[in-house]
Structures are given as structure tokens and as C-alpha cells.
């Protein structure tokens, strides 16, 4: 799955969890996990973008 698709999926999970009623602790753990995935995939995407930009300038 591409970085953008992963980020979009994790963001959708966060939005859904914010709407759900349920145990607050579990909800916050799931939101934290989804946010960590977003951060990781965004960093990977930025690293790849920066790498390709450096290669095109070389």
C-alpha cells in the first residue's frame, strides 16, 4: 500500500474512533496507534521524496 493510502486509511480510523462511543482508554490507545502509523508513513514518504529530489539535482 502506498504511503498516502496508508495515511488516508489511518486518518479514517481516527475519525471513526472519534465518533464511536466506548471505553475511552481503548479509544485513545487506538487513536494513538493510528496516529503513529500516519507519522511513520509520512516520514517514509518525505524521505523518499527528498531522496528522489536529491537524485534529480545530481
Amino acid at each position: 500500500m502506498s504511503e498516502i493510502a496508508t495515511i488516508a486509511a489511518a486518518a479514517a480510523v481516527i475519525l471513526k474512533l472519534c465518533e464511536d462511543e466506548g471505553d475511552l482508554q481503548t479509544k485513545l490507545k487506538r487513536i494513538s496507534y493510528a496516529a503513529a502509523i500516519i507519522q511513520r508513513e509520512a516520514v517514509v514518504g518525505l524521505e523518499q521524496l527528498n531522496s528522489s529530489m536529491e537524485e534529480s539535482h545530481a
Side-chain angles (χ1 to χ4, degrees), residues 13-32:
V13 168
I14 290 174
L15 291 174
K16 180 66 178 162
L17 289 171
C18 290
E19 296 172 356
D20 286 347
E21 292 184 25
D23 176 64
L24 182 58
Q25 183 177 12
T26 300
K27 185 187 302 189
L28 290 173
K29 285 180 182 179
R30 289 177 179 167
I31 289 170
S32 177

